[in-house]
Amino acid sequence: MTDERARRRGGASLAPTKPESPRTAPSPAERTSVARPGEKRPFLLDFFPLETARDTRLSKFYDRLREGRLSTTRCPKDGVLLWPPRTACPKCHSEDLEWVDLPERGRVYAFSAVLAGAPLGMENEVPFPVGLVDLDGVALRLFGRIEGAPWTSLRVGQAVRVEAYDLNDGRVFYRFRVAP
Amino acid sequence: MSGRSVAIVGGASTKFGVRPSTWSELAQEAGAALFRAVPELRAEDVDSLFVGAAEPERFAFQSHVAPLAAEQMGLRPTRILQRTELACASGQSAIRSAYAAIAAGLSDLAVAVGVEKMNLPSVAEANSAMGCVMDRPWDGPHGATAPPFFAMVAQRHMLEYGTTEEQLAAVSEKNHRFANSNPNAQFFDKTFPRDKLLRLPMVAPPLRLGDCSSMTDGAAAVVLTSEEYAHRYTDRPAWVRGTGQYSDFHNLANAGSLTDWVGLRHAGRRALDQAGISVRDLDLAELHDCFTISEIIEYEALGLCAPGEGGAFAADGRGAVGGDLVVNPRGGLLGCGHPLGATGISQALEVFQQFSNAVPAARQAPDPEWALVHNLSGSANVHSVMVYQRGGAA
Ligand SMILES: [Zn+2]
């Protein structure tokens, strides 16, 4: 694995870091413990999806995420960017959709935090902030965990970036991190 | 409206709460209560049964619950037997389906029952059940359940309109006060004055414990029939005069504005138009107060007040007895608890009982003629509305 790939899998920003950006990886103090302890949960109690081509026609999403790219599908005919990725366009019903990378930066539109009532397997992560993030430059508002700051210091409008993280069982997922 | 006129002619509810009872026992209890409450009801006349149940697979490890409920209740449906699932609106879905079947002439006498058993040995497992109401593989891994979503709704409403925690607490205080007159309510014997509500712990900021409905076990059932047979059961039928539903997204990314509930505006308009009345004609409403902020936005989306004024509407007591209309006299989801499949049935039962002036004075709407029942489901991505008119002599 290249350094670059290791960095991404370790949970750094998806951003091909801009020259002026001072950091390439979160400091140890900041690094979030990987959200998943890695133990096997029964399929029907595991919120994380199956990601391989054997299980989903959207496996490219996870392959690209593994490379540090958050992406979704777009219908070339209608040009509309939709979330989550799809296999058929809901407008023209074409199944010839194309993959496009999404901006890795955005701003918090709304947030809260789970202080109680977490689902099975997430109890030890409480309290964890979640939010809706307007991605820069596209009409998409994605929901996700927000890492890197306690909920008490988050603000609407806060800049965040997308990052991929490893589930330690061959799977990956995405979340947001407060931007420096 | 085409088809036959359809009315609710009776009903009953179990006690809602943390019950030492299984799913099947709750269904039996609702059946027994129903036959006691409607003495003219004969099991052999019930041709159809609609079972509102949101997640029996998750909460009770039980599928195929429609025949199970029929057996528990002592019914042998001969025309339509089915389960209706629409998460938090599963109960209203059962009523809507029964209404449609009777109006179309496919059923003459139907029971709509709602059953939910939500309290499990593992609270986290129950929370997982609530989590898979969302778009599970996309929103679920982030920890999306109802509280953080509605907390974001509240945050945006506060930001856009200046709504306050005190206004949220006013909703909870009102509905808990109403619940003190409803022995079937989960919080019948608990008082929640505003200062106490404002000191309860945060669940998902800015929402505190008292802003959230709870995990509740319970069941309720109503009987529906057509204009030909209604008089056999009651002289005060609650006629279904309008229905409306609207769904426009599922994944949280596609929610659009969190504070303008477009779906409820449409569903409410359709139901009121079908009934031929204005929102000002309503004497009472059972609104889906899964969270305090929900009731505030529902006031606005239904047109009871302007956008942004829902907080003041609550704080000024305009939804209390003596206000513009009585909202959630049963105690709401906040006071009664929220057994998903049973909630919509329990709300309709309250309307039927209000029309008969059969509830305690503390929550009785004065001589009500028109009532609206609303359920949202999931992340307020579906809105279901029904409008009822009191029958019989005024
Ligand atoms: Zn298309």
Side-chain angles (χ1 to χ4, degrees):
Chain A
M1 195 188 293
T2 65
D3 284 355
E4 175 68 0
R5 222 179 118 98
R7 181 179 69 76
R8 282 169 172 161
R9 288 173 64 98
S13 168
L14 287 183
T17 333
K18 287 181 183 152
E20 66 272 25
S21 174
R23 301 194 311 174
T24 54
S27 70
E30 225 183 330
R31 193 179 301 133
T32 325
S33 59
V34 171
R36 304 263 309 162
E39 87 272 27
K40 188 91 180 136
R41 216 175 295 289
F43 174 71
L44 292 180
L45 283 169
D46 186 357
F47 279 92
F48 291 86
L50 299 177
E51 301 181 347
T52 67
R54 200 184 58 178
D55 296 299
T56 172
R57 290 170 59 195
L58 297 174
S59 59
K60 270 196 184 141
F61 172 83
Y62 305 100
D63 294 342
R64 292 162 77 102
L65 193 59
R66 232 164 253 118
E67 293 166 8
R69 300 151 72 191
L70 182 77
S71 53
T72 191
T73 53
R74 180 171 59 190
C75 175
K77 212 161 139 190
D78 305 310
V80 187
L81 206 56
L82 292 169
W83 183 268
R86 308 179 52 103
T87 57
C89 171
K91 202 171 167 191
C92 72
H93 302 105
S94 161
E95 293 181 89
D96 286 323
L97 307 185
E98 62 188 9
W99 286 97
V100 291
D101 286 339
L102 292 174
E104 66 243 352
R105 287 177 179 269
R107 291 192 180 272
V108 172
Y109 173 77
F111 69 91
S112 181
V114 174
L115 307 188
L120 190 71
M122 300 183 194
E123 311 100 300
N124 297 336
E125 296 155 27
V126 168
F128 57 83
V130 293
L132 281 164
V133 171
D134 284 323
L135 295 184
D136 286 352
V138 294
L140 282 183
R141 179 178 296 157
L142 268 48
F143 178 77
R145 289 279 182 103
I146 302 173
E147 303 280 349
W151 70 269
T152 45
S153 70
L154 289 177
R155 296 289 175 266
V156 168
Q158 178 122 31
V160 295
R161 54 190 187 172
V162 186
E163 69 178 23
Y165 66 99
D166 213 312
L167 304 190
N168 291 338
D169 62 1
R171 294 182 293 174
V172 288
F173 213 65
Y174 60 94
R175 62 190 175 197
F176 299 104
R177 180 170 295 279
V178 169
Chain B
M1 195 193 310
S2 59
R4 302 191 289 180
S5 291
V6 179
I8 291 176
V9 296
S13 174
T14 72
K15 167 78 179 169
F16 285 8
V18 181
R19 297 289 314 276
S21 304
T22 66
W23 196 98
S24 291
E25 290 159 6
L26 290 166
Q28 285 187 39
E29 193 178 328
L34 178 67
F35 282 98
R36 273 198 305 276
V38 191
E40 303 79 9
L41 183 67
R42 301 190 315 162
E44 57 270 34
D45 294 338
V46 176
D47 61 51
S48 299
L49 176 66
F50 297 86
V51 182
E55 294 195 59
E57 291 87 351
R58 279 283 169 191
F59 289 125
F61 198 12
Q62 181 66 62
S63 191
H64 209 204
V65 292
L68 176 62
E71 183 174 274
Q72 303 304 313
M73 299 174 77
L75 298 174
R76 290 168 182 255
T78 53
R79 298 183 81 179
I80 300 178
L81 169 66
Q82 70 180 51
R83 166 184 169 193
T84 58
E85 188 275 306
L86 196 61
C88 325
S90 298
Q92 188 183 130
S93 288
I95 293 176
R96 170 176 282 96
S97 301
Y99 154 69
I102 294 167
L106 298 174
S107 165
D108 290 322
L109 185 68
V111 168
V113 65
V115 188
E116 211 77 48
K117 170 72 190 177
M118 298 177 73
N119 287 283
L120 310 184
S122 159
V123 175
E125 216 174 305
N127 291 331
S128 288
M130 296 308 290
C132 70
V133 168
M134 304 291 184
D135 190 351
R136 194 271 304 161
W138 297 101
D139 292 334
H142 300 292
T145 56
F149 175 77
F150 285 90
M152 293 191 296
V153 171
Q155 181 188 52
R156 289 300 311 188
H157 207 271
M158 289 171 159
L159 193 73
E160 293 168 25
Y161 298 117
T163 301
T164 64
E165 279 197 58
E166 287 74 15
Q167 291 172 333
L168 298 182
V171 173
S172 189
E173 184 183 41
K174 167 179 74 71
N175 294 352
H176 278 106
R177 199 171 52 237
F178 278 140
N180 294 146
S181 70
N182 181 356
N184 283 334
Q186 180 162 7
F187 299 108
F188 167 60
D189 52 4
K190 298 232 168 24
T191 56
F192 291 91
R194 212 170 297 190
D195 57 338
K196 176 178 169 184
L197 288 163
L198 290 167
R199 286 196 310 268
L200 290 174
M202 290 275 190
V203 170
L207 299 180
R208 296 172 185 276
L209 199 54
D211 293 302
C212 312
S213 58
S214 37
M215 304 283 263
T216 306
D217 311 328
V222 290
V223 182
L224 294 99
T225 189
S226 72
E227 51 200 314
E228 289 101 311
Y229 308 108
H231 66 274
R232 290 187 188 172
Y233 303 97
T234 180
D235 53 10
R236 279 293 172 87
W239 295 106
V240 179
R241 296 302 192 204
T243 75
Q245 251 182 339
Y246 196 92
S247 169
D248 59 351
F249 72 97
H250 191 72
N251 188 284
L252 296 183
N254 302 314
S257 165
L258 295 185
T259 57
D260 177 12
W261 288 2
V262 179
L264 178 52
R265 283 200 276 118
H266 287 297
R269 182 78 271 139
R270 178 174 283 271
L272 290 166
D273 283 352
Q274 188 187 349
I277 63 165
S278 134
V279 72
R280 309 274 160 220
D281 295 321
L282 293 172
D283 301 297
L284 76 125
E286 285 284 321
L287 304 184
H288 197 96
D289 58 326
C290 48
F291 297 90
T292 48
I293 187 62
S294 310
E295 183 166 321
I296 284 173
I297 295 180
E298 287 151 12
Y299 294 147
E300 300 171 6
L302 285 168
L304 289 163
C305 63
E309 291 176 6
F313 190 97
D316 294 346
R318 292 174 64 186
V321 173
D324 296 25
L325 78 172
V326 182
V327 177
N328 288 330
R330 187 182 66 107
L333 284 59
L334 290 165
C336 291
H338 182 23
L340 308 175
T343 286
I345 309 278
S346 170
Q347 291 171 311
L349 174 62
E350 176 73 13
V351 167
F352 174 78
Q353 292 175 334
Q354 286 268 344
F355 283 170
S356 300
N357 292 303
V359 300
R363 71 179 210 257
Q364 177 67 55
D367 195 28
E369 181 187 358
W370 288 101
L372 179 146
V373 176
H374 162 255
N375 294 107
L376 65 79
S377 30
S379 48
N381 51 336
V382 187
H383 291 275
S384 305
V385 176
M386 296 187 74
V387 172
Y388 295 92
Q389 183 182 24
R390 183 193 61 207

